[in-house]
Structures are given as structure tokens and as C-alpha cells.
Amino acid sequence: MASERHLNFTVAGKTGDAPLAATVGKLVIAGWTGRDAAAMEAHIRELEELGIARPKATPIFYRVAASLLTTADAIQVSGTGSSGEAETVILDVGGTRYVGVGSDHTDREAEKINVSLSKQMCAKPVAPTLWRFDDVADHWDDMVLRSWAHEGGDRRLYQEGPVTAMRTPDDLIGRYGGLGNGTAMFGGTLAFAKPVATAAEAFEVELEDPVLGRRLTHTYRIETLPVEG
């Protein structure tokens, strides 16, 4: 099907690596997933300052085209109004769940008009390496998300915090009604450092597993296309 995305991953396991060919037919972006109501309210206010309306529900699940998911090291965006967000990614392939790290790259100008539209406008980068979810499920709350914005030759820490800031994958998947084969779900993001990274030439995301001493990372360049009207 034209709407599907065929991607090749490497699964890094406790005893070695293995290739994984995945066909993704459904991509879900979970938003407003915070466990801490006060912190989530702060993030909502943060976006309200940018002219973005409050969500109608928390959490909320945005469906976007599966074809937006990419492991490429560069994306193209329209104009200079977009930025990334580090998020965990849960992917179901044949009934087995995998965890990755990705960026919900979003057009901030379009977000002021319609959030679903803004999510659909940008590619969703994901690291080409995954872990088996079962390998991290028992220490999920120990993991840490980070992101950096590469701006003018500088690498600026943009986000950093434990995944405990967001609801667990099982919680989100249960609220959504299950994943199913070929579904990928982004799990929500942390508050970000100001200014918003709409001037970044590249964006970098990381998920650290301190228990097993490993990290998933991905850096992608942002190629800005001219806006002609």
C-alpha cells in the first residue's frame, strides 16, 4: 500500500544485534502525556504563549500518515517555523514490541492554526536502531530522554529528563485501545528550553538506558525550503 512505510532497523539485544524489516501502516503521535499534572500544565502554558490552543483532552492521540516516519539523516521542511521534540517510540512488528527514540518534528506556525495539521506537515525521524521492549520494561522508569539543537555551529541542550515525566507505554497503549501489527506510537515529550529551536540546522535525540549502559541516538539535518506564498 502507498500509505505504508517500509523501514529497515537494527535491533540491539543483550546478546547481539539483528536486522528487522518493518512495515508501518499506522503512525500515532500521543500528546499531553505527562504524569505530573503541574508539569503538563506548564508545558500547555508554554505553548499557549506561542498562540497554540489547549488540547481538547489529555492525553490525546494524533493520527498522521505512516509515510512520514523516516530513519533518514535529513528532512525537508517548509520555511523556518518548525522544530523537533525528543520522544520514545513504541513499534509493534508481528506482535513483538520494540522501543526507539524519535523526534516529533512539528511546524510551529501551523500549530497555532491546527495541531493535527502541524503534525502532518513534517517528517517524523526515528533512530535506525531499536531495543526489544521486553528488555527494558522492568526498568522503564530509569531511562532518560535528551535532545540537542544544533544552531550556528553550537550544540545546545534542548531537553533532558526522565521518561517518568510521561505516562508509561502500557498506559498510553491501553488508553488508545491497543497497537496492533505495523503500528508505531510516539509517547510524548518533555518541556523544552527556550528559545524554541526553530533556527536549528540539525536536531539530535537520545534515549539512555543507564541500567544496561547503552543509548539510542539519532541526528538529522533540517533542510529549509523557501516559502513562495
Side-chain angles (χ1 to χ4, degrees):
M1 294 175 60
S3 60
E4 293 177 337
R5 174 65 85 186
H6 303 282
L7 296 171
N8 293 313
F9 294 97
T10 297
V11 179
K14 293 180 179 179
T15 59
D17 297 349
L20 176 70
T23 297
V24 181
K26 183 183 293 185
L27 179 55
V28 182
I29 310 295
W32 313 112
T33 62
R35 295 191 208 179
D36 184 327
M40 187 167 62
E41 175 64 21
H43 187 45
I44 290 173
R45 289 198 305 269
E46 183 177 54
L47 293 181
E48 280 186 314
E49 291 176 8
L50 301 175
I52 299 161
R54 286 176 168 269
K56 62 183 180 181
T58 58
I60 192 169
F61 300 95
Y62 302 101
R63 281 289 307 277
V64 299
S67 58
L68 295 175
L69 196 65
T70 180
T71 56
D73 61 4
I75 66 170
Q76 294 180 319
V77 299
S78 178
T80 59
S82 68
S83 65
E85 297 180 350
E87 307 205 6
T88 60
V89 182
I90 302 296
L91 173 62
D92 185 306
V93 180
T96 299
R97 290 181 186 171
Y98 300 89
V99 59
V101 66
S103 174
D104 174 19
H105 204 93
T106 299
D107 188 296
R108 301 302 173 190
E109 294 302 315
E111 198 170 26
K112 298 175 186 178
I113 302 169
N114 183 281
V115 176
S116 291
L117 171 66
S118 71
K119 301 293 184 187
Q120 177 64 32
M121 286 181 64
C122 300
K124 306 301 181 191
V126 62
T129 300
L130 304 172
W131 296 327
R132 290 177 178 84
F133 181 71
D134 285 349
D135 288 350
V136 300
D138 64 351
H139 59 273
W140 178 264
D141 283 357
D142 293 304
M143 295 199 292
V144 179
L145 266 175
R146 297 183 183 90
S147 72
W148 294 264
H150 295 239
E151 301 166 323
D154 294 327
R155 180 175 180 258
R156 174 170 69 99
L157 183 65
Y158 190 59
Q159 294 172 291
E160 182 176 38
V163 298
T164 52
M166 282 73 69
R167 295 178 182 273
T168 65
D170 284 342
D171 184 323
L172 291 174
I173 291 167
R175 290 170 184 269
Y176 183 66
L179 282 188
N181 182 35
T183 300
M185 177 182 283
F186 280 58
T189 196
L190 304 163
F192 42 76
K194 294 182 179 179
V196 178
T198 51
E201 298 97 19
F203 199 74
E204 180 180 352
V205 294
E206 175 184 277
L207 179 63
E208 180 188 6
D209 177 355
V211 173
L212 297 181
R214 57 186 184 168
R215 301 167 191 257
L216 294 175
T217 63
H218 188 55
T219 302
Y220 62 95
R221 301 186 313 280
I222 302 162
E223 300 176 2
T224 302
L225 304 178
V227 177
E228 304 295 355

